[in-house]
Amino acid sequence: MKYLAHVCSIVPPHIVDALADSDDPEVREVGLRTRELDDQQRQQRLRAVPIEAPAVPPFVTDQPDRTVFDAGQSTDLPGNRTRGEQDTPTTDQAVNEAFDGLGSTFTFYYDVFQRRSIDGAGLPLDATVHYGQNFNNALWNGRQMVFGDGNRKTLQNFTASLDVIAHELTHGVTMYSGGLDYQGQSGALNESISDVFGSLAKQYTLRQTAEDADWLIGDGVLVSGINGVALRSMKAPGTAYDDPLMGKDPQPAVMADYVNTLRDSGGVHINSGIPNHAFYLVAMALGGYAWEKAGRIWYQTLTSGTLPSDADFPTFAQATTATAHTLYGPGTEEDAVRKAWGQVGVNGNG
Amino acid sequence: MHIRVTRSGGFAGLTLHAELETSGRPDAAELERLATDAVTAAEPESSPVVPDGFEYEITVDDHTAHCADPHLTDAQRQLFERLLHEGA
């Protein structure tokens, strides 16, 4: 909650990003300075919290333990240690953005779900920026986050998007919750859960209701001039972009349009559109802040310890419906979940 | 030698293709060496990938094999960078 009063008082981060990415040097300067101020203010707020440095680090902390490394365009991991919790912001925007994104994601999970870091036990959060040359990706390698700088023809600024950072860290949450096999429908669920909590982290930080949220994933990473609004849309899967350099957004919203493919681990980034849209429908049906009920139902299902790692869509639909019943009893919430899965054509038998 | 590379996956889920014929190229010997090393070190079936990692399919003439992040050999990385014009 600490960040909220501050974050809400500034220009939304995506606007700042847009300014900072502008081709106009003066506009860009304004955007960059805004981000620097934002960073500094966050740091001051963090330091304002009285924390007694313990002689021995506690096993579980209420604060993130972040370290950002710089690969310097190499593919060596983790690279040079550039910023840790005790350090002031650096002159490298990507380092500071990654640092802040890790912090916002930690805060989201801690405030909303009382989860301390991705393993629930204060695991240090490590990230490497400037990985490779024109590396057009951000990924979770099982131990840390890895950010490229993008090819700058289609994608860039992975570190500037909180939904990207929260998406990657959520892969860690899923892994520590028992995992979802990264293949076929369980893999698409793994991807969808990262999109769901990536979007929720952004919504929480911006204090947006389900109605106000854009439900976009990666809206900050498209290079200016690309015909699109983001990489994925949970509200309207398949509509995020349509551009000669990127092709058309291939995501289905319903089972009737499920894409069978061997590539992309069986279309995990494609068919995630179906559970993504189901979550969106639940959030809209329940209204208000999506992390409070819809997010709680998904989180509880993920971390229950009973979700099989090879869960398919119907299994997950059944599990979320049962969780809604457990958390809120029969009625509105359970009905919303059951109805949403029905609307995307998944029969959860719930 | 005919070399074809398809990359899928990644955070964005964008698929990239590239292919070339080495005959007549000044860098044919180097490309053929990279492609041979890359495909030899790859797996016959799709190999497991870390979340949002890139997955690659390499076809050298009529032989197809697979590899994925983060377990790329230097030859695979170099081949992908040469064909796709992006970091691997």
Side-chain angles (χ1 to χ4, degrees):
Chain A
M1 297 295 282
K2 287 191 298 294
Y3 292 125
L4 291 177
H6 166 58
V7 171
C8 290
S9 68
I10 59 160
V11 181
H14 64 281
I15 301 292
V16 177
D17 295 339
L19 294 175
D21 299 339
S22 170
D23 290 333
D24 181 329
E26 287 187 14
V27 174
R28 190 168 62 230
E29 178 68 16
V30 170
L32 290 173
R33 260 190 274 130
T34 307
R35 282 204 290 223
E36 281 167 15
L37 282 173
D38 186 23
D39 292 337
Q40 286 167 11
Q41 285 166 10
R42 283 181 198 216
Q43 278 307 302
Q44 285 159 4
R45 292 186 69 82
L46 274 177
R47 289 207 195 81
V49 178
I51 304 166
E52 298 224 351
V56 179
F59 291 105
V60 173
T61 77
D62 298 345
Q63 298 292 326
D65 179 6
R66 296 163 286 180
T67 308
V68 180
F69 301 85
D70 183 353
Q73 265 79 50
S74 80
T75 54
D76 299 328
L77 289 174
N80 293 321
R81 183 189 178 286
T82 306
R83 187 174 173 193
E85 289 299 336
Q86 307 308 319
D87 302 323
T88 53
T90 73
T91 54
D92 186 329
Q93 206 63 41
V95 170
N96 297 331
E97 287 167 351
F99 190 82
D100 288 343
L102 294 173
S104 296
T105 305
F106 181 98
T107 300
F108 162 70
Y109 271 110
Y110 183 68
D111 286 357
V112 177
F113 302 116
Q114 295 75 53
R115 185 183 187 88
R116 294 174 171 88
S117 191
I118 58 176
D119 65 342
L123 189 81
L125 299 173
D126 293 346
T128 295
V129 301
H130 303 310
Y131 176 84
Q133 294 189 1
N134 304 318
F135 188 66
N136 212 25
N137 203 12
L139 62 91
W140 162 258
N141 77 355
R143 292 189 300 275
Q144 64 160 105
M145 297 190 51
V146 179
F147 295 100
D149 290 326
N151 65 6
R152 300 183 181 88
K153 285 180 256 174
T154 51
L155 310 181
Q156 62 185 6
N157 285 344
F158 295 108
T159 50
S161 293
L162 176 57
D163 51 342
V164 176
I165 294 177
H167 173 109
E168 297 307 331
L169 286 183
T170 300
H171 280 308
V173 173
T174 298
M175 187 181 91
Y176 281 101
S177 300
L180 279 164
D181 301 341
Y182 207 67
Q183 177 69 41
Q185 289 196 12
S186 59
L189 286 169
N190 191 322
E191 268 305 307
S192 174
I193 284 164
S194 276
D195 279 352
V196 163
F197 291 101
S199 181
L200 289 181
K202 185 166 70 173
Q203 291 173 35
Y204 180 73
T205 303
L206 297 173
R207 208 56 166 182
Q208 290 176 325
T209 63
E211 295 78 10
D212 293 336
D214 60 20
W215 296 99
L216 297 174
I217 301 296
D219 53 312
V221 306
L222 296 191
V223 169
S224 166
I226 293 286
N227 184 38
V229 292
L231 291 172
R232 292 184 278 278
S233 168
M234 299 175 69
K235 181 178 183 176
T239 67
Y241 59 87
D242 187 358
D243 184 90
L245 288 177
M246 292 176 61
K248 185 182 181 305
D249 177 359
Q251 285 212 313
V254 297
M255 276 309 282
D257 298 323
Y258 187 92
V259 176
N260 284 297
T261 174
L262 292 175
R263 292 189 175 132
D264 185 27
S265 297
V268 297
H269 292 89
I270 299 173
N271 295 311
S272 55
I274 296 166
N276 274 0
H277 194 55
F279 181 84
Y280 163 81
L281 291 171
V282 173
M284 290 300 285
L286 298 179
Y289 293 130
W291 59 85
E292 289 184 344
K293 284 189 174 176
R296 167 66 63 183
I297 294 165
W298 254 240
Y299 181 78
Q300 187 76 22
T301 302
L302 174 67
T303 58
S304 65
T306 58
L307 188 68
S309 61
D310 63 351
D312 58 9
F313 290 179
T315 300
F316 191 74
Q318 194 279 330
T320 48
T321 308
T323 303
H325 183 95
T326 303
L327 286 172
Y328 302 106
T332 309
E333 294 82 6
E334 181 184 353
D335 292 346
V337 176
R338 185 184 288 107
K339 185 179 174 194
W341 285 112
Q343 282 177 272
V344 299
V346 175
N347 177 10
N349 299 313
Chain B
M1 178 185 283
H2 192 82
I3 308 169
R4 186 159 59 89
V5 169
T6 300
R7 188 188 78 191
S8 66
F11 177 81
L14 302 171
T15 300
L16 277 186
H17 302 277
E19 58 188 304
L20 59 77
E21 179 61 50
T22 57
S23 59
R25 292 176 60 106
D27 55 356
E30 188 194 359
L31 283 170
E32 288 171 9
R33 179 184 62 77
L34 284 177
T36 302
D37 288 354
V39 82
T40 302
E43 304 287 332
E45 303 293 332
S46 292
S47 42
V49 65
V50 292
D52 295 321
F54 285 136
E55 301 165 41
Y56 298 90
E57 180 185 288
I58 318 165
T59 302
V60 174
D61 293 330
D62 57 356
H63 180 57
T64 297
H66 304 264
C67 57
D69 280 331
H71 302 297
L72 303 183
T73 65
D74 287 344
Q76 288 166 348
R77 201 183 295 279
Q78 286 175 41
L79 180 75
F80 302 150
E81 291 180 352
R82 289 284 286 271
L83 266 74
L84 300 173
H85 306 292
E86 272 186 21

